[in-house]
Amino acid sequence: MNAQIWIVDFGSQYTQLIARIYRELGYKSEILTIEQSFEFLKHEKPGLLILSGGPQSVFEDSTDYSPYFNQGFPVLGICYGMQLMAQHFGGTVHKGTIGEYGKSKVHDLNNTFKVNNEFIAWMSHSDHVSICPKEFDVFLKSENDLIAGIKHQSLNFWGLQFHPEVIHTVRGKEILLHFVDKIGLEKNWHNEEIYQTCLDEVDDIGDEYVLCAFSGGVDSLVAASIAHKKLGKKLYCFFVDHGLLRPQDYKHIELLKNKSQLNIETIDAREIFLSKLESVSDPEKKRKIIGTTFIEVFDQKVKEFEETKDIKFTYLLQGTLYPDIIESHSPHKKGGKSVTIKSHHNVGGLPEKMNLKLLEPLKSLFKDEVRKIGSFLDLEHSWLYRHPFPGPGLGIRILGAIDSVKIEQVQKSDQILLEELVESGFYNKCWQSLTVHIPQKTVGVKGDARAYEEVICVRIVGSRDGMTATWSHVPYEVLDKISSRITNEVSGITRVVYDITSKPPGTIEWE
Ligand code: XMP
């Protein structure tokens, strides 16, 4: 563990943001489960320990947290973390009756944060600290006169009832910076270190062959380019054409074959995918079929290489990111509190079924960090800043059963959307853009005749990581052009709608 900042995850939906902000500020930070933190503390100490927020109540938590408070390192408790700290030091936590949610004004009693004595902060709590522990002072109060911040009189222990990591807290980043400045932490997370961390992951492969499930998206491209540095021709990138791709994906893969150094082979698996999906309309079933068919296709490829080329793959390279790793041991999951909204996958299940070892050079990075280190690998900006595209492809953008007519309608409308967003300069301002086929006929007029045709929905969203998203306020003129081009150029479509749903409650993809 060489992170200076350890963030113990008590299950808040904002925990990852704390790590993201500190990393952006130049401090290596890692998210740990409670068990991991206790284990690490037996041998090492953090420069700063952060106790995150969480959905539970201190009244239900009987864990002994003294290892956090009796070893002399600085601790910052946020929301639930502050309540744990207050309780540990003999303060009183009051069971929630008047919670505070959303934006709230906070009074900075001594102007500690140099914010003119008050600022807007994001609150999300029902319990609150009602009596400050003896050795602590209250330095922040909410507009409801509740304790919003406490600090120890002589040691580096602080508690904040609000969430400085949430964008709605005005100058939240400066507030987080305040604590590392106060204890004099040195920056240790620059692009060079990030890059080196990734290279280290592929250091010990030796003379083995590596198979990469390659989509051409930023994650698999950067992962493959890192592995290529060490492995050269021993890395084989397989791009599966499942027939649910967009014109831009075919173009992009050809471009990469020509311009990158990677050894990329396209597997034409259109027939097998499309025949298995025939007449299947349930979204989860479609996702599962696509996932298992990926496994079959790769399995066949591995066998083919063994039999015809005498090449045996030992490793599977994947562009897994840090959020995937953290989410797999999130306290939400352990407690069984989370539900499967959608079963996400690219090639999930491959290594287990195919007896391959996993290679995940990006597993400690967030997506924005992956994009940053792309510059060390001579990858073009436009390759690194492509919009994300899900593994199941258009299979989850055609609602219900899939057929070749609908695939073509989504392909053509997506191409129009892409061209117009690039032309208007909006492509780089949004996180993701897509078109969805809605299998509902509506009445229209085309030429002088009545039309009774289906609907294309355009979805454009802004996001930092896909976990939350807001629909984009694209200028009307751009939407107008997209709409008239789709109705004019895509046969069978008379109506175009724009999705104005944020996430939550709507997910980015429709299925
Ligand atoms: P949702 O629809 O859950 O999507 O809001 C969040 C982000 O994840 C992408 N997505 C996927 N990516 N395999 C992937 O690799 C999948 O099965 C999958 N489903 C959704 C989605 O495009 C968005 O960026």
Side-chain angles (χ1 to χ4, degrees), residues 287 342 344-346 388 390-392 431-432 466 503 507-509:
R287 281 175 172 275
K342 298 172 183 179
H344 277 213
H345 61 78
N346 274 329
W431 162 267
Q432 203 167 2
K503 173 184 178 177
T507 49
I508 295 176
E509 305 290 345

Side-chain angles (χ1 to χ4, degrees), residues 215 219 287 341-347 367 387-393 396-397 431-432 434 459 461 463 465-469 503 506-511:
S215 72
D219 306 337
R287 281 175 172 275
I341 310 284
K342 298 172 183 179
S343 38
H344 277 213
H345 61 78
N346 274 329
V347 285
K367 199 170 199 100
H387 290 175
F389 185 60
I396 53 171
R397 293 183 182 173
W431 162 267
Q432 203 167 2
L434 51 129
R459 181 139 174 77
V461 295
S463 176
D465 45 25
M467 289 192 305
T468 58
K503 173 184 178 177
T507 49
I508 295 176
E509 305 290 345
W510 272 45
E511 281 198 336

Side-chain angles (χ1 to χ4, degrees), residues 258-277:
N258 292 328
K259 289 186 79 175
S260 78
Q261 297 180 328
L262 300 171
N263 174 12
I264 306 168
E265 180 186 322
T266 299
I267 306 177
D268 181 355
R270 286 175 293 180
E271 229 177 275
I272 172 169
F273 274 93
L274 297 180
S275 67
K276 287 193 178 203
L277 287 166

Side-chain angles (χ1 to χ4, degrees), residues 98-101 104-105 107 141-147:
I98 44 158
E100 292 176 305
Y101 298 96
S104 170
K105 201 182 280 175
H107 300 286
K141 281 243 168 147
S142 79
E143 62 190 12
N144 301 313
D145 207 32
L146 299 181
I147 295 174

